[in-house]
Amino acid sequence: MANDNKKMVEAITPIDQDFAQWYTDICLKAELVDYSSVKGFTILRPYGQAIWENITRILDGMFKATGHENVAMPLLIPESLLQKEKDHVSGFAPEVAWVTRGGSEELEEPMCIRPTSETLFCDHFSQILHTWRQLPLLYNQWCSVVRWEKSTRPFLRTREFWWQEGHTIHETAEEAIAETRQQLDTYAELCEDHLLMPLLKGQKTESEKFAGAQATYAIEAMMHDGKALQAGTSHYFGDGFSRAFDVTFAGRDNTLQYPFETSWGVSTRLIGGIIMTHGDNEGLILPPAVAPFQVVIIPVAQHKEGVLDKAYELKERLSKFVRVKLDDSDNSPGWKFSEWEMRGVPLRLEIGPKDIENDQCVLVRRDTREKSFVPLADLETAIPSLLDALAAALYEKAAQNLANRTWSYATMDEIVAKANSENGYIRAMWCGEEACEDTMKEQAGLSSRCIPFEQETLAATCPVCGQPAKHMVVWGKAY
RNA sequence: CGGGGCGUAGCGCAGGUGGUAGCGCGCUUGCUUUGGGAGCAAGAUGCCGCAGGUUCGAGUCCUGUCGCCCCGACCA
């Protein structure tokens, strides 16, 4: 009956009933985002922004630790600049937004709002690069970009999204490739260790790789519903962009050379990944590393003498080692329990008159709702250990979902049958031909997620065409 | 770009055949409550998306238009 009340007040659509609606409900009701008056442009509300800031803080630290520097590039790209690299422009042209007027005057040259900033960085590199002694240049920027998507969903696909884009140039191809792989590993560390999302790491096929790249590496995460989410990409460009933008330097042998380039990015889409990896019917469950509040203190019978005082005292004490929120609003304790569960706070601390009498409090885990009565003196050890246990359980549960939804097949019949009945990763061999990817899309509705770094030989031939197989590919449905 | 849904109070919605605006939640105030989304009472809140048209009269009918959401095809 508590459940009935709950559904009346602040209903979140059950996850099994309508996954898409469940997702949207959480985005809105946990107050992560709101829609703006322009389609596809969402507002990151304080709670959502706080999660993003925690992600950026962790990642930015990792970037700096590996020698990267932050810069800020312009918002607008002149049309002529965008067009310099032909694969790049044909990939992005369909989804760029244009500025054609300044004040009341038509611009001589239209400018697009950056969909990504390779062209801006290259143009800049061509200005500042002179000698091999300057290399590598390891740049990153935190910004938003605009891509005029046709269908949009909060976090997963919005017309404007916030991200970081790293752009580096190197003296040799080997160094650039190493950078590309290193940054992919950085993303993997962020996702697995902090966001608690188990991953598949690999290389994108020709047809799925970034416009203008020689190779695209990606991390793919699996959502509750068995669909894949491309959570981050890292691209190796060779010297294609350098040549297109005439980025040159005097080499060690005093010849003019083109540097080798990389770019890599993750976006606010990660927040969508967190929701769909860890959330449940009560709402969000946040990994402690990025939760705006790791502990919420809920005073019980807060009007009674001493309760609020004790709560404030605890807040003060806990704030020395966790991010803590004290909800001293007028709402009933029950309301607060539900509210903060919906918002995914990993641990709840209840403190009421009975607890104060016994010099204890109640700690409740968000994921299991498991209650423990803890002496107030032990909080400094009990809270971190509960947070760790919760983090381990979240990762374990997600890893279990990934394992349960990964299958290997050798024939098209098996693949089609599975694809029609369940979402997940289907591992199968592939001949390397794009035509077989197209066929896979048509017959099974699957796209190639990546060619995993960890290869296995499941069969000798491609299940689509029967030709000799070159790689094992993971197929799936993606967001 | 196709298919579907929808614009009425802050939010969610109701307003058969035209007659001058309603419900729930939330909000405000007061009292009682407080260990799983509290109760009672009294309030406040409207360019009915926008523009034309039909009509004595339009939330309602007609035409146009703008926008949003969801599902597909395309993309982080």
Side-chain angles (χ1 to χ4, degrees), chain A residues 115-144:
Chain A
T116 177
S117 307
E118 275 73 11
T119 55
L120 293 165
F121 275 90
C122 284
D123 189 41
H124 178 56
F125 289 147
S126 76
Q127 301 293 315
I128 63 168
L129 182 65
H130 308 291
T131 163
W132 66 272
R133 292 176 203 280
Q134 288 172 280
L135 295 173
L137 285 175
L138 306 175
Y139 284 177
N140 176 65
Q141 78 168 342
W142 294 94
C143 65
S144 70

Side-chain angles (χ1 to χ4, degrees), chain A residues 18 26 47 67 78 81 96 135 154 234 239 301 325 389 393 406 425 440:
Chain A
D18 183 344
I26 290 185
Y47 200 63
L81 207 56
V96 293
L135 295 173
S234 187
D239 59 3
K325 162 87 183 174
T406 301
Y425 289 152
M440 189 65 88

Side-chain angles (χ1 to χ4, degrees), chain A residues 332-394:
Chain A
S332 71
W335 189 93
K336 293 176 186 177
F337 295 164
S338 299
E339 177 70 12
W340 292 107
E341 268 172 18
M342 187 185 69
R343 291 176 149 232
V345 178
L347 270 188
R348 172 170 85 235
L349 187 158
E350 301 172 19
I351 181 84
K354 291 181 222 162
D355 301 309
I356 294 172
E357 231 169 83
N358 298 320
D359 238 8
Q360 64 172 31
C361 67
V362 183
L363 288 177
V364 186
R365 266 172 68 161
R366 168 62 181 86
D367 60 334
T368 58
R369 283 191 170 174
E370 194 183 325
K371 285 191 178 190
S372 35
F373 295 83
V374 176
L376 291 180
D378 296 350
L379 290 177
E380 274 77 2
T381 51
I383 288 175
S385 101
L386 277 170
L387 288 174
D388 286 348
L390 173 136
L394 287 186

Side-chain angles (χ1 to χ4, degrees), chain A residues 435-454:
Chain A
C436 290
E437 282 185 275
D438 294 343
T439 306
M440 189 65 88
K441 182 82 198 174
E442 283 159 30
Q443 295 188 4
L446 303 175
S447 60
S448 69
R449 299 324 311 148
C450 70
I451 305 166
F453 293 144
E454 288 176 25

Side-chain angles (χ1 to χ4, degrees), chain A residues 55 58-59 62 183-201 218-223 229-233 265-267 269-271 273-274 277-278 287 289-290 391 394-395 398:
Chain A
I55 293 173
I58 294 167
L59 251 190
M62 292 177 176
Q183 294 312 100
L184 191 74
D185 287 344
T186 297
Y187 291 154
E189 186 184 334
L190 171 77
C191 289
E192 297 198 305
D193 296 355
H194 301 277
L195 308 185
L196 312 172
M197 292 162 47
L199 297 173
L200 180 65
K201 278 201 269 184
I219 48 172
E220 302 277 332
M222 176 166 295
M223 305 297 102
L229 185 74
Q230 182 173 304
T233 48
V266 295
S267 71
R269 172 182 264 194
L270 286 173
I271 298 174
I274 293 170
T277 301
H278 302 305
V290 296
L394 287 186
Y395 185 88

Side-chain angles (χ1 to χ4, degrees), chain A residues 93-115:
Chain A
E95 51 183 48
V96 293
W98 292 96
V99 175
T100 59
R101 251 177 27 200
S104 57
E105 309 215 344
E106 287 293 315
L107 300 179
E108 284 190 20
E109 182 181 6
M111 315 250 191
C112 81
I113 301 176
R114 62 186 170 208

Side-chain angles (χ1 to χ4, degrees), chain A residues 29-59:
Chain A
K29 286 171 182 162
E31 299 186 351
L32 304 177
V33 288
D34 201 4
Y35 298 112
S36 75
S37 52
V38 183
K39 175 187 164 68
F41 287 76
T42 51
I43 294 155
L44 270 184
R45 302 187 67 182
Y47 200 63
Q49 175 69 14
I51 296 171
W52 180 235
E53 284 179 10
N54 285 334
I55 293 173
T56 63
R57 187 174 35 74
I58 294 167
L59 251 190

